[in-house]
Amino acid sequence: MKARIAVLPGDGIGPEVTAEAVRALRAVAARFGHDFGFEEAPVGAAAMDAGQEPLPAATLALARECDAILFGAIGALKYADPAARIRPEQAILGLREALGLYANLRPVVPQPALHVASPLKESLLGGVDLLIVRELTGGIYFGRRTREADSATDECRYTAGEIERIARIAFRLAAARRGRVTSVDKANVLETSRLWRETVTRVVREEFPAITLEHQLVDSAAMLLLTRPASFDVLVTENLFGDILSDEAAALAGSLGLMPSASLGDGRRGLYEPIHGSAPDIAGRGIANPYGAIASAALLLRHSLGLETEAAAVERAVAEAIAAGVLTPDIAPRGTDAAPTQAAGDAVVDRLRVS
Ligand code: IPM
Ligand code: MN
């Protein structure tokens, strides 16, 4: 298969981890006989440093032309002033909105070899295999904002149509898994959540009668994620709740650095990024965990290119590298030698080379 992949490394550790994801994709191309072309473009603080907007028009144009987008991370301390009008983060929000990527998939599958890296008791982690489906282009992230000297507002708005389409994605994915969906809202307080609950319930009744749907309030869901994580299959929720719960769920896997994501719309084109940020404190030192970025490349193969065998091969290679003890500092047991970023990338590439 021939595919064009836009590579937007961004800031901080973004370039380091994205480079390893590209190497993994090149190894896949070599082993399975595909022709992947990679085209890099600046985004975020990296673009601002070059005197451009956080999301330069040429970068957005490239993203539109390609079959898939591999994204690194965004954000830099020098542009972190909360009062700034232009911020690096606008690039990722702009990409999601412009490309209509309303569905964000964040799988959480703790590796047995890393149970010790999680702050949770090992007895809670067995059998955890959950998927957070986060609505990505609506809600408070994209509502109207106002600011006066000593007051501010952020509007949270959802339409039934926005809720229906994300619910369908969650139900479809659940149908191919264990058939259970937990919809997370705050329907005891928020009007948007009441519309959310009503709409999700209608969609399951009319279109997915075989799915088991339960509703959880977000505060309770946050606790249950830690007290009975194995009971969840698919969680579907609005933008802000999904942002928060997915970082929380990363603790189950042992590190934010392991967590991949796929951002999808109605077509095949998607954006793939690890859920971690730019981690300026460790940037440039070659110690960032690339497994989340590499696992995001696996999602790219699966969702945008339809290459399931290849996606599974990448996921297996990551799991085997971890099981073999090739662990970056964030997941290495205290007192052991941690692997640098490139060594973790090598461990995956080596495993992808063998047939
Ligand atoms: C994420 C990030 C982004 C978000 C930031 C960088 C805007 O935290 O992808 O989870 O809040 O969506
Ligand atoms: Mn986040």
Side-chain angles (χ1 to χ4, degrees):
M1 157 181 279
K2 209 172 146 82
R4 282 180 77 186
I5 300 171
V7 179
L8 314 184
D11 310 324
I13 60 172
E16 299 163 53
V17 298
T18 306
E20 302 307 322
V22 169
R23 285 179 64 214
L25 287 172
R26 287 192 197 282
V28 165
R31 170 158 161 207
F32 293 90
H34 299 302
D35 177 6
F36 297 159
F38 299 93
E39 296 165 60
E40 197 171 313
V43 74
M48 292 164 76
D49 283 343
Q52 297 178 274
E53 303 273 292
L55 178 56
T59 299
L60 177 57
L62 175 72
R64 282 190 201 283
E65 280 167 26
C66 285
D67 299 297
I69 301 136
L70 198 59
F71 191 92
I74 210 133
L77 293 175
K78 68 194 257 206
Y79 298 118
D81 176 5
R85 203 179 50 83
I86 297 179
R87 299 172 54 90
E89 289 79 3
Q90 287 159 355
I92 186 65
L93 299 176
L95 278 164
R96 290 169 182 170
E97 187 177 34
L99 301 175
L101 305 174
Y102 60 84
N104 186 222
L105 278 40
R106 299 188 163 188
V108 183
V109 190
Q111 308 279 337
L114 288 181
H115 283 175
V116 291
S118 170
L120 262 75
K121 287 198 195 84
E122 194 160 356
S123 59
L124 290 173
L125 295 171
V128 173
D129 176 357
L130 62 89
L131 173 66
I132 297 179
V133 177
R134 169 188 175 194
E135 199 291 326
L136 202 59
T137 53
I140 202 164
Y141 270 66
F142 291 92
R144 232 164 49 89
R145 302 186 204 298
T146 67
R147 176 63 203 261
E148 284 163 43
D150 54 4
S151 73
T153 67
D154 293 282
E155 180 189 51
C156 181
R157 181 170 190 275
Y158 267 109
T159 64
E162 286 173 321
I163 300 166
E164 277 166 17
R165 63 185 185 178
I166 191 73
R168 283 192 190 103
I169 297 231
F171 292 139
R172 240 178 259 138
L173 289 163
R177 295 169 50 100
R178 302 193 300 281
R180 293 179 51 87
V181 173
T182 305
S183 173
V184 178
D185 62 37
K186 187 70 184 171
N188 53 345
V189 178
L190 303 177
E191 202 55 46
T192 43
S193 279
R194 289 193 267 269
L195 178 66
W196 182 280
R197 193 174 280 218
E198 215 177 279
T199 307
V200 167
T201 305
R202 176 166 45 76
V203 172
V204 82
R205 198 181 49 231
E206 291 175 0
E207 302 174 34
F208 299 88
I211 296 290
T212 306
L213 171 67
E214 66 160 353
H215 301 278
Q216 286 289 343
L217 298 174
V218 63
D219 47 354
S220 156
M223 185 193 67
L224 295 175
L225 264 177
L226 301 182
T227 54
R228 55 166 179 86
S231 70
F232 292 105
D233 181 6
V234 174
L235 290 105
V236 62
T237 191
E238 60 127 279
N239 207 340
L240 182 62
F241 298 162
D243 179 47
I244 298 167
L245 293 180
S246 55
D247 268 33
E248 183 195 2
L252 306 171
S255 171
L256 207 49
L258 294 162
M259 311 292 294
S261 85
S263 302
L264 308 171
D266 284 327
R268 274 222 137 169
R269 187 191 306 109
L271 182 148
Y272 302 86
E273 57 172 326
I275 80 166
H276 63 69
S278 57
D281 51 326
I282 59 161
R285 290 168 53 198
I287 59 167
N289 186 338
Y291 291 134
I294 297 171
S296 300
L299 296 180
L300 181 157
L301 293 165
R302 174 173 297 128
H303 294 286
S304 280
L305 307 186
L307 300 173
E308 177 54 39
T309 305
E310 288 81 341
V314 173
E315 285 164 348
R316 204 164 42 244
V318 169
E320 286 172 7
I322 289 171
V326 186
L327 307 177
T328 44
D330 55 317
I331 48 175
R334 246 183 251 284
T336 62
D337 277 342
T341 307
Q342 276 187 19
D346 288 344
V348 172
V349 167
D350 287 349
R351 284 166 177 80
L352 283 170
R353 276 211 196 99
V354 296
S355 52

